[in-house]
Structure formats: structure tokens, C-alpha cells
Amino acid sequence: MQGLRKRLLGEMEHMKRLERLMKECPKDYPDGKLRIFASGGRTQYYQYIPGETGVHGRYISKKEEQLIKLLAQKDYDGRVEKLLEKRIRQLGQILKDYQDDELEQLYFHMGKERQALIAPVENTFEQLLEKWKQEAYEGKAFRETDLLLYSEKGERVRSKSEKILADYFFRNGIPYKYEKPLLLKGYGTVYPDFTLFSPKLRKEIYWEHEGRMDDPVYARSAVKKIYGYEQNGIFEGERLILTYETEDTVMNTRDIERKLAQYY
């Protein structure tokens, strides 16, 4: 369940913020509880104070609308506070010893000899990555007019920016596939500049570098392609990484590091 711990931590922080907010809000509530009775199309409100009022409580006329609202809010806030306290406590217990890769770690801690005898309930990341590396594909063909440019890995690329990206991945041990074809329904086959395999998501992610965004024709084509990704459920910040360049704005390694941080 990759990414679950992060989501649980995020939910816990959200609940803690709500809890703090409720404690900081001034609470000048009236005594007692609100009781509501509906009959014959009419709704009646009562303020019930144990030991001080009757069985139903004191009848509240519609002229005391503010009292009715305060009693209703008091009841709601009390329930919310109890629920938040309960869920924060439960999430704290879960997060004490939960890790996203706990099944994988259980397998690794068994030792090589025992691992050889076992079929894991799910593939480890290393196994998934190795299988992904072995998958063959046919990239996009080069034209005679394309630059003759090679990465440090010895792979031909189409631009200096793509060489910067390829060299960064190669130097940092990040496996990638250059221009691996991807079918986008409703758009056609695209060739993402780079396809990576995220250890956090355990899925392919796609890196598109749009290098001439000050060219109107190029920019329109790029936007159309990005829309094609989105129509297929592949969104920037999830499984799509986008970098851009113009004549005045160029990409650097800091941009690459920032983009990769959430996936590696």
C-alpha cells in the first residue's frame, strides 16, 4: 500500500488542525441540551437541563432563535471534538509501527536462503523494477535533420535539454526509458521524453520537457498533448512531470531535483 503512510499522516495533521481550531474558538454556550420534537408538520424546541427542567425541558419559542442555534452548535461541536479525539488516537496507534514497505521488509529480513524457498505475496520493488527494465520497446525514429547528440549513457537524444535530463538520471542511478511509446486514448501514441519507474508509486511516471514554449505553434501542440494525458487520468504532480523552457527561461539541475523529490 504505497503512499498510505503519507496519506494517513496528512489526514492526522488535518484532524489536529481542526482540533486546535475548535479549541481556540470562543465557546460561550448556554447550559443544557437541545431537544427537537416534530409532529403534525410543526417543529418544537426545548432546552433540557438535567435536574432543573421537566421531562422534555423548557419550551423555546421561535423568538429565541439564537438560543436554539447555540444549543445545536454546542451539540455538534461536542460530537466533532469527540470524533476527532478518537480518530487522532486511532491513527497514532496505526502509525506507530506501520510502514508502506512492511511486507517487503518482512520478506527481506528472512534471509537469502529462506527467500529462495518463498513466493512473496507481492513482488518487491527490485523485482518490479528489474521486470520493467527488461521490457523491450521501439522508440521514435530519428530524422536526418535531427541533431547528432548523445547522452553520457551513449544514447542518442534530440536536444541539449534532453541530454541534461538523461545525464542527470544516469549519474544518479535513476533507470529511465527514452521515448518509450505510450497510447493515449482519444489522442494517439505519444513518445514521452522519459519514462521512469517510481519507487514510491511503483508505477511508470512520464517526463515531458516542453522546450520551445515561446513558439505559438509548438505551445499549442504541447498543450494539446498534455490535455491528452489528463484525459487518460495522467495528471501533473501525480504521474506526469512537466518542465518548460523559452529563450529567456532555461532548465537547470535544481529544477530536475525539485521535480524528482516527490517520486524518489
Side-chain angles (χ1 to χ4, degrees), residues 4 6 31 66 75 79 100-101 121 123 126 131 137 139 141 165 169 207 216 222 231 247 253:
L4 179 57
K6 183 178 179 181
D31 294 334
Q66 186 61 22
D75 176 59
R79 295 186 190 201
D100 286 339
D101 63 346
V121 68
N123 289 328
E126 285 74 14
K131 181 179 178 183
Y137 70 96
L165 284 162
F169 300 148
W207 192 306
Q231 291 296 98
E247 286 188 2
T253 53

Side-chain angles (χ1 to χ4, degrees), residues 135-193:
E135 291 175 355
Y137 70 96
E138 186 174 342
K140 190 177 179 181
F142 284 87
R143 298 169 297 183
E144 289 185 6
T145 54
D146 289 332
L147 289 172
L148 196 61
L149 195 62
Y150 289 87
S151 68
E152 292 179 10
K153 184 181 175 183
E155 192 171 35
R156 189 176 178 184
V157 293
R158 297 180 191 277
S159 70
K160 292 179 181 178
S161 296
E162 289 181 353
K163 174 174 166 52
I164 291 172
L165 284 162
D167 290 346
Y168 182 91
F169 300 148
F170 181 67
R171 290 192 211 108
N172 288 277
I174 299 173
Y176 68 85
K177 295 186 178 183
Y178 181 68
E179 292 190 341
K180 178 188 175 186
L182 173 67
L183 177 63
L184 298 178
K185 292 180 181 178
Y187 182 87
T189 298
V190 295
Y191 294 83
D193 296 322

Side-chain angles (χ1 to χ4, degrees), residues 107 110 113-121:
Y107 173 75
M110 301 190 86
E113 295 78 10
R114 192 175 292 271
Q115 287 174 22
L117 305 171
I118 294 170
V121 68

Side-chain angles (χ1 to χ4, degrees), residues 14-162:
H14 174 64
M15 290 183 179
K16 285 182 176 179
R17 283 195 296 271
L18 290 177
E19 187 179 51
R20 287 194 299 271
L21 181 65
M22 297 196 72
K23 288 179 178 178
E24 290 167 2
C25 290
K27 296 179 181 179
D28 189 18
Y29 293 131
D31 294 334
K33 298 179 180 180
L34 180 67
R35 286 187 169 177
I36 302 175
F37 298 93
S39 178
R42 293 183 58 200
T43 303
Q44 295 181 327
Y45 304 96
Y46 293 83
Q47 181 182 17
Y48 177 72
I49 304 175
E52 294 186 21
T53 55
V55 176
H56 297 309
R58 181 184 71 84
Y59 174 75
I60 309 175
S61 69
K62 290 185 178 179
K63 294 179 180 179
E64 298 177 276
E65 182 181 3
Q66 186 61 22
L67 175 61
I68 295 170
K69 288 183 176 180
L70 284 171
L71 286 170
Q73 190 68 46
K74 177 184 178 182
D75 176 59
Y76 171 77
D77 288 353
R79 295 186 190 201
V80 169
E81 287 177 351
K82 286 182 180 178
L83 181 58
L84 287 173
E85 182 182 348
K86 178 181 177 181
R87 295 295 180 236
I88 290 170
R89 185 172 62 251
Q90 290 174 332
L91 286 173
Q93 287 297 118
I94 292 171
L95 288 165
K96 270 184 180 179
D97 64 352
Y98 174 79
Q99 298 295 330
D100 286 339
D101 63 346
E102 56 188 9
L103 284 175
E104 189 169 304
Q105 290 305 316
L106 184 149
Y107 173 75
F108 283 139
H109 289 160
M110 301 190 86
K112 296 291 184 183
E113 295 78 10
R114 192 175 292 271
Q115 287 174 22
L117 305 171
I118 294 170
V121 68
E122 64 178 7
N123 289 328
T124 65
F125 172 72
E126 285 74 14
Q127 290 169 332
L128 291 172
L129 180 62
E130 191 57 34
K131 181 179 178 183
W132 178 78
K133 286 180 183 179
Q134 299 303 320
E135 291 175 355
Y137 70 96
E138 186 174 342
K140 190 177 179 181
F142 284 87
R143 298 169 297 183
E144 289 185 6
T145 54
D146 289 332
L147 289 172
L148 196 61
L149 195 62
Y150 289 87
S151 68
E152 292 179 10
K153 184 181 175 183
E155 192 171 35
R156 189 176 178 184
V157 293
R158 297 180 191 277
S159 70
K160 292 179 181 178
S161 296
E162 289 181 353

Side-chain angles (χ1 to χ4, degrees), residues 223-236:
V223 170
K224 184 178 179 182
K225 181 172 60 174
I226 293 166
Y227 184 70
Y229 276 104
E230 293 179 349
Q231 291 296 98
N232 283 264
I234 302 171
F235 296 94
E236 183 180 10

